[in-house]
Amino acid sequence: MFNEILILLLQKKRIEMSIEKLFETGERMQDRSHFRNMVLIAKADGVISEQEVALLHKMGQKISLSEEQVEEIIKDHKKIAIVPPYSRADRYEQIIELIQMMQIDGQVDESEMHVLERVAVGIGFKDLEDVDVESILALILRGEDTETMLEEFL
């Protein structure tokens, strides 16, 4: 009896998840993909710092992920499909946020740069040279907000 109830509950959960995926908008899929990339950057150096975890949770809230969803994606980001942004502005917004994640702990690690390069190509840049990482880092360290940086690069 217990097993039958458990099976029914699991089937119901799968159906709910399938329906949620079915009606997920392109923008929502793009947001989750970007969050996945943020997790990749945070994990690149082998340690997710407290600052990185805080930024991931802040980003998760911004894109309406529950705490449970945030933790699930941090634990296993491979379940999320890669969906590149459609517009140039969205690409730059994402790369700026990825660079913010990369430097949030005060260190830019070589492994983070390697992951950033792979992600940059994945979201539509030719290569990392197509992204002015040094200028973006300088603007971040100067305290500029994302909107100001976008105006600078678009």
Side-chain angles (χ1 to χ4, degrees), residues 92-100 136 140 146 149-150:
Y92 269 96
E93 183 175 5
Q94 285 190 14
I95 204 73
I96 288 167
E97 290 175 348
L98 289 164
I99 294 170
Q100 287 171 329
I136 294 172
I140 291 169
T146 303
M149 288 186 266
L150 283 173

Side-chain angles (χ1 to χ4, degrees), residues 82-140:
I82 299 169
V83 180
Y86 302 114
S87 73
R88 184 171 184 256
D90 288 344
R91 270 194 298 282
Y92 269 96
E93 183 175 5
Q94 285 190 14
I95 204 73
I96 288 167
E97 290 175 348
L98 289 164
I99 294 170
Q100 287 171 329
M101 174 61 76
M102 193 172 70
Q103 70 78 43
I104 192 101
D105 60 1
Q107 302 172 21
V108 176
D109 189 89
E110 187 176 320
S111 58
E112 290 171 324
M113 285 296 290
H114 180 70
V115 172
L116 181 68
E117 183 169 23
R118 282 192 355 245
V119 170
V121 170
I123 64 173
F125 291 96
K126 287 186 301 186
D127 53 32
L128 204 51
E129 290 178 22
D130 200 23
V131 177
D132 190 352
V133 176
E134 288 183 27
S135 293
I136 294 172
L137 274 170
L139 291 168
I140 291 169

Side-chain angles (χ1 to χ4, degrees), residues 10-25 29 32:
L10 289 173
Q11 287 173 340
K12 181 181 179 199
K13 181 77 171 169
R14 270 192 237 135
I15 290 169
E16 288 172 2
M17 288 174 60
S18 298
I19 291 171
E20 180 182 318
K21 287 249 186 242
L22 181 64
F23 291 104
E24 194 170 59
T25 66
M29 289 169 34
R32 290 169 64 88

Side-chain angles (χ1 to χ4, degrees), residues 38-75:
M38 297 281 284
V39 170
L40 282 174
I41 295 290
K43 287 183 171 183
D45 61 2
V47 178
I48 300 181
S49 71
E50 288 180 30
Q51 298 98 327
E52 289 168 330
V53 169
L55 186 55
L56 286 170
H57 282 272
K58 182 179 176 182
M59 173 62 70
Q61 280 184 326
K62 177 181 167 185
I63 62 172
S64 301
L65 292 176
S66 69
E67 290 294 317
E68 182 181 280
Q69 289 170 318
V70 167
E71 291 301 324
E72 188 177 312
I73 296 169
I74 290 172
K75 192 168 75 174

